[in-house]
Amino acid sequence: MEFKKIIEEKSKQAWEIYLPNLSIDCVVFGFHDALVKVLVVKMKENNLWALPGGYILKTENIKEAASRILHQRTGVTNIYLQQFRVFSDLNRSEGFFEAFENTIWNKQRFLSVGFYALVDFSTVKLVVDNFSDACEWKAIDELPELMMDHQYIFDKALGTLRKELNYKPIGFNLLPEKFTMPELQKLYEIILGKKLNRGNFFRKMLRYDILIKLDESRKGGAHKAPDLYKFDVEKYQLALKDGLNEGW
Amino acid sequence: MEFKKIIEEKSKQAWEIYLPNLSIDCVVFGFHDALVKVLVVKMKENNLWALPGGYILKTENIKEAASRILHQRTGVTNIYLQQFRVFSDLNRSEGFFEAFENTIWNKQRFLSVGFYALVDFSTVKLVVDNFSDACEWKAIDELPELMMDHQYIFDKALGTLRKELNYKPIGFNLLPEKFTMPELQKLYEIILGKKLNRGNFFRKMLRYDILIKLDESRKGGAHKAPDLYKFDVEKYQLALKDGLNEGW
């Protein structure tokens, strides 16, 4: 079925089941190969890249909507989700759907609630839905051009992540269960957008007392195998309540 | 005009000019007499206290809506406003407006965008609007019982303020232009919800280099008159960009 037909059929149903004027856009972060990556989908209609998004059922709160959308569009379930900002400018979606009747669902003014999600990269199996040609991970410093205000939404999500690094279990949700200190440091460096001193980082992390050193090391490298750690979840949560406030 | 009539007349107009299903609630903080206070209004209908709120015109973004609402309901203009969270639970407004037809504007499901505002207490002249009997400042540890989920909205606003103390010009917006170090410390203590060591606070503040010591002191107390300070706005903004990350 051609794209226009799909949109027109979906439109009728959409007015019945979704809250009008509202959408959700998700910035899904993963950590892989020492890079922080973000999920983007390529829209069939215009060949543009976009953040995965959707609408809010009349029977859902926004977090339920975001979970459902991410499950449907990316195949991931049960992931760490936080709303971070509403995007409400009047001209956000100008120019899209011009070829359609004014009564079409997609041609409304949409206020979009931005969510960021943190996923353990290794557990994600991506799916491509009806509206998109592709669903891919892209490194955050190599994002393709994004449609509408999605680059701005991404920027705000990354800014939020940066501020919340000391208050939310970001490391816990992005890293696999076992990780090395250099991996943890790399994650912090990418999110904070700056190099950190290795010794200082190590000492601060140990002082927060939120890591458990395992009796294993990461095999396979050319260098001395680095020690593996995991988070002490209880202590981590407790420390985040006050904030990891020493600065990095 | 009785309350029910007012609601029914306003309802017709509301469907035409506002975005459906959306409202705004504002947590307005002020600092006065060494207390952090919040603006609450007493609703005529049910004699309950509420946060000041309203709806979003079809021609506005949400920040414009929040500014307009605060101006209309509290008389304040040009204040520091930040959205902090969407409240979207299905049963938020259950039980209200039961006596009305289902088509009434106020009986819709509303998702509310929470804003917090920071105002210089001394510049505010409160106004009481058509829907309310009173508009008052209440100390944050002596809030009256609030309607719907407004206590929860307030709690989330205070939590946000606590986290953003190191990233937003909160002191600058809450304090008068000139203030003493004990006043600044008191503000931090109330927002953080804990006592701070006086010497440490003083040293950290000076180390951040964001204050200008004035050639004046606060007159009138029994003790030695404390020195007055003001913020070095440029340096303050610059320091907030990285965050005041030493912890308090």
Side-chain angles (χ1 to χ4, degrees):
Chain A
M1 191 153 44
E2 74 167 298
F3 185 79
K4 192 163 181 225
K5 276 266 169 56
I6 297 179
I7 290 287
E8 281 168 356
E9 287 217 349
K10 290 259 174 192
S11 177
K12 282 181 214 148
Q13 196 204 2
W15 285 108
E16 278 173 30
I17 62 174
Y18 296 125
L19 291 171
N21 300 114
L22 285 168
S23 62
I24 282 182
D25 285 300
C26 300
V27 183
V28 185
F29 291 99
F31 185 63
H32 181 63
D33 277 347
L35 292 169
V36 173
K37 297 183 178 179
V38 160
L39 265 190
V40 287
V41 294
K42 195 167 197 176
M43 309 301 286
K44 272 192 179 150
E45 183 210 12
N46 46 25
N47 244 358
L48 290 176
W49 290 96
L51 298 170
Y55 308 108
I56 303 159
L57 289 172
K58 289 175 180 172
T59 54
E60 285 175 329
N61 67 33
I62 55 173
K63 196 163 191 173
E64 289 163 347
S67 298
R68 177 183 50 76
I69 289 163
L70 278 185
H71 177 58
Q72 288 174 350
R73 308 204 73 173
T74 67
V76 294
T77 52
N78 225 346
I79 61 178
Y80 182 86
L81 268 174
Q82 294 282 335
Q83 53 160 301
F84 65 94
R85 191 184 177 86
V86 179
F87 299 86
S88 67
D89 279 353
L90 290 170
N91 58 357
R92 307 187 48 241
S93 53
E94 253 172 22
F96 287 95
F97 300 101
E98 266 181 5
F100 294 88
E101 305 276 317
N102 278 333
T103 53
I104 206 96
W105 170 261
N106 308 61
K107 218 173 166 177
Q108 293 176 83
R109 173 183 174 192
F110 283 107
L111 285 72
S112 197
V113 184
F115 275 81
Y116 73 84
L118 308 176
V119 301
D120 175 355
F121 188 92
S122 63
T123 66
V124 178
K125 302 223 184 316
L126 299 180
V127 294
V128 176
D129 72 7
N130 276 342
F131 295 96
S132 28
D133 276 331
C135 178
E136 292 177 17
W137 290 103
K138 301 277 186 188
I140 61 173
D141 55 356
E142 289 176 358
L143 285 182
E145 193 180 337
L146 298 176
M147 63 185 269
M148 290 172 56
D149 54 357
H150 287 198
Q151 178 68 44
Y152 181 67
I153 295 176
F154 165 79
D155 291 342
K156 288 291 179 184
L158 183 60
T160 304
L161 210 58
R162 197 166 283 174
K163 285 185 198 163
E164 297 198 337
L165 197 54
N166 294 340
Y167 297 98
K168 303 271 186 192
I170 288 170
F172 178 71
N173 284 289
L174 281 176
L175 291 168
E177 193 196 345
K178 302 170 185 180
F179 49 85
T180 66
M181 197 62 93
E183 285 166 351
L184 184 61
Q185 181 176 341
K186 190 76 196 170
L187 176 64
Y188 271 69
E189 288 181 340
I190 294 174
I191 292 175
L192 293 172
K194 62 182 179 192
K195 283 269 167 205
L196 302 173
N197 177 282
R198 187 174 163 168
N200 285 345
F201 184 82
F202 186 79
R203 277 186 294 276
K204 273 177 192 163
M205 271 296 164
L206 293 194
R207 203 151 55 219
Y208 283 131
D209 190 25
I210 57 179
L211 299 178
I212 297 169
K213 189 176 163 186
L214 302 171
D215 267 347
E216 309 169 50
S217 55
R218 171 69 43 85
K219 274 129 194 142
H223 302 282
K224 181 182 169 296
D227 293 321
L228 282 168
Y229 292 82
K230 66 174 183 177
F231 285 107
D232 183 327
V233 180
E234 218 166 291
K235 285 186 180 171
Y236 191 18
Q237 293 286 6
L238 205 67
L240 289 174
K241 260 187 81 174
D242 286 331
L244 308 180
N245 265 333
E246 276 196 70
W248 297 105
Chain B
M1 191 151 47
E2 72 166 303
F3 185 78
K4 192 164 181 226
K5 276 266 169 57
I6 297 179
I7 290 287
E8 281 167 355
E9 288 221 348
K10 290 259 174 192
S11 177
K12 282 180 214 150
Q13 197 203 1
W15 285 109
E16 278 173 29
I17 62 174
Y18 296 124
L19 291 172
N21 299 114
L22 284 169
S23 63
I24 282 182
D25 286 300
C26 300
V27 183
V28 185
F29 292 99
F31 186 62
H32 182 61
D33 276 349
L35 292 170
V36 173
K37 297 183 178 178
V38 161
L39 264 190
V40 287
V41 296
K42 195 168 197 176
M43 309 301 284
K44 273 192 179 149
E45 183 210 8
N46 46 25
N47 243 357
L48 290 176
W49 290 96
L51 299 170
Y55 309 107
I56 303 159
L57 289 171
K58 289 175 181 173
T59 54
E60 287 174 329
N61 67 33
I62 55 172
K63 196 162 192 175
E64 289 162 348
S67 299
R68 177 184 49 77
I69 289 163
L70 278 185
H71 178 58
Q72 288 174 350
R73 310 205 71 174
T74 67
V76 295
T77 52
N78 225 344
I79 61 180
Y80 182 85
L81 268 173
Q82 295 282 335
Q83 53 159 302
F84 65 94
R85 189 185 177 86
V86 179
F87 299 87
S88 67
D89 279 354
L90 290 171
N91 58 358
R92 299 186 55 239
S93 54
E94 252 171 26
F96 288 93
F97 300 100
E98 266 181 5
F100 294 88
E101 305 275 319
N102 278 333
T103 53
I104 206 94
W105 170 261
N106 309 61
K107 220 174 165 176
Q108 292 175 83
R109 173 183 173 192
F110 282 106
L111 286 73
S112 197
V113 184
F115 275 81
Y116 73 84
L118 307 177
V119 301
D120 175 356
F121 188 91
S122 64
T123 66
V124 179
K125 304 225 184 314
L126 299 180
V127 295
V128 176
D129 72 7
N130 275 343
F131 295 97
S132 28
D133 277 331
C135 178
E136 292 177 18
W137 289 104
K138 303 277 187 189
I140 61 172
D141 55 356
E142 289 176 358
L143 285 183
E145 193 181 335
L146 298 176
M147 64 186 271
M148 290 173 55
D149 55 356
H150 287 198
Q151 177 69 44
Y152 181 67
I153 294 176
F154 165 79
D155 292 341
K156 288 292 179 184
L158 183 60
T160 304
L161 209 57
R162 196 166 284 173
K163 285 184 199 164
E164 297 197 338
L165 198 52
N166 294 340
Y167 297 100
K168 304 270 186 192
I170 287 171
F172 179 71
N173 284 290
L174 282 176
L175 291 168
E177 194 196 345
K178 302 169 185 182
F179 50 85
T180 66
M181 197 63 93
E183 285 165 352
L184 183 62
Q185 182 176 343
K186 190 74 197 173
L187 177 64
Y188 271 70
E189 288 181 340
I190 295 174
I191 292 175
L192 294 172
K194 62 182 180 192
K195 283 268 166 208
L196 300 174
N197 177 282
R198 188 174 162 166
N200 284 345
F201 183 82
F202 186 79
R203 276 187 294 276
K204 273 178 194 164
M205 270 297 163
L206 292 194
R207 202 152 53 220
Y208 283 133
D209 190 26
I210 57 179
L211 298 177
I212 297 169
K213 189 176 164 187
L214 301 171
D215 268 345
E216 308 169 51
S217 56
R218 170 71 39 88
K219 273 124 197 149
H223 302 283
K224 179 183 170 296
D227 294 321
L228 282 168
Y229 293 83
K230 67 174 184 178
F231 285 107
D232 183 327
V233 180
E234 217 165 293
K235 285 185 179 172
Y236 191 17
Q237 294 286 7
L238 206 66
L240 289 174
K241 260 187 83 175
D242 286 332
L244 308 180
N245 266 332
E246 275 198 70
W248 298 105

